[in-house]
Amino acid sequence: HRRYKDFQVISTKVGLFSSTVDGYPLNYKLIYNYDAKAKTLHFGRLVLETKQFSTDHETRDEKLAYYCLKAKQYPQLEVSLNTSTKLQVNKKTTVDAKLKIFKKIHPIKIELTLVQNSDGDYLKGTSHWSIKELGIIDPSIMVAKLSDDINIHFQYQLN
């Protein structure tokens, strides 16, 4: 299955220079049921290991896992969607989902798009989260401030 998934935050250094910090999960478990004929997604759960994210910078990865996400106390975060969603090719559909982090459940919105090509059906999605609203410890330091917004992007081959 072809897939990608990542997250982005903006880092502003010395109040002047901004750059994007990209990251991605190294290990996850996705459970779903897709009816290709009906173009309906029956999404169950996405489970992510909190110590298994990479920003391609080892020190930052450790801080993310053990300081921000408290991986020793909370080894997983989970996204769940409990309803069936009818998808239309190349049309965005916004769905309500739940994010469980630090044993708390937060309502989130996920924008889904079904894309078809010769390789099959792909699900593309985006979601926008807030560091503050989710209770994630802000890892900013004096010379580098992170934005509050976390932008999530993913693509997954369904069949």
Side-chain angles (χ1 to χ4, degrees):
H1 291 287
R2 294 182 187 174
R3 59 194 105 172
Y4 76 82
K5 56 267 160 236
D6 67 12
F7 61 89
Q8 296 176 332
V9 294
I10 305 297
S11 175
T12 304
K13 292 170 181 62
V14 198
L16 301 172
F17 307 102
S18 294
S19 63
T20 302
V21 176
D22 296 310
Y24 53 93
L26 298 171
N27 188 16
Y28 66 94
K29 183 177 180 180
L30 177 62
I31 303 165
Y32 69 94
N33 184 339
Y34 175 64
D35 181 340
K37 188 174 181 179
K39 307 257 183 283
T40 302
L41 178 67
H42 307 283
F43 181 83
R45 292 179 13 181
L46 171 64
V47 179
L48 300 154
E49 302 294 325
T50 53
K51 66 180 179 184
Q52 294 285 315
F53 286 98
S54 177
T55 62
D56 294 326
H57 188 280
E58 189 176 338
T59 304
R60 185 170 47 214
D61 295 347
E62 284 189 28
K63 188 173 186 180
L64 172 63
Y66 296 104
Y67 179 71
C68 300
L69 297 176
K70 305 175 193 173
K72 287 184 181 178
Q73 295 168 273
Y74 307 101
Q76 298 177 329
L77 61 90
E78 181 180 314
V79 177
S80 61
L81 178 68
N82 296 324
T83 60
S84 295
T85 303
K86 177 84 170 146
L87 301 168
Q88 295 180 29
V89 177
N90 296 324
K91 298 229 176 179
K92 293 179 181 178
T93 303
T94 301
V95 296
D96 293 319
K98 295 177 182 171
L99 170 64
K100 183 178 179 184
I101 183 169
F102 308 133
K103 295 187 180 180
K104 294 180 183 172
I105 296 175
H106 302 270
I108 60 170
K109 301 271 187 199
I110 303 174
E111 195 170 83
L112 301 174
T113 304
L114 179 64
V115 178
Q116 291 182 311
N117 64 31
S118 60
D119 292 336
D121 292 355
Y122 287 81
L123 183 67
K124 291 177 74 172
T126 60
S127 189
H128 306 283
W129 303 349
S130 161
I131 290 173
K132 188 180 294 182
E133 287 177 13
L134 296 177
I136 297 171
I137 296 171
D138 184 346
S140 296
I141 58 176
M142 190 178 303
V143 295
K145 174 74 175 141
L146 283 186
S147 66
D148 183 54
D149 300 320
I150 306 169
N151 298 306
I152 309 295
H153 308 275
F154 63 89
Q155 177 174 303
Y156 195 83
Q157 185 174 358
L158 294 169
N159 54 8

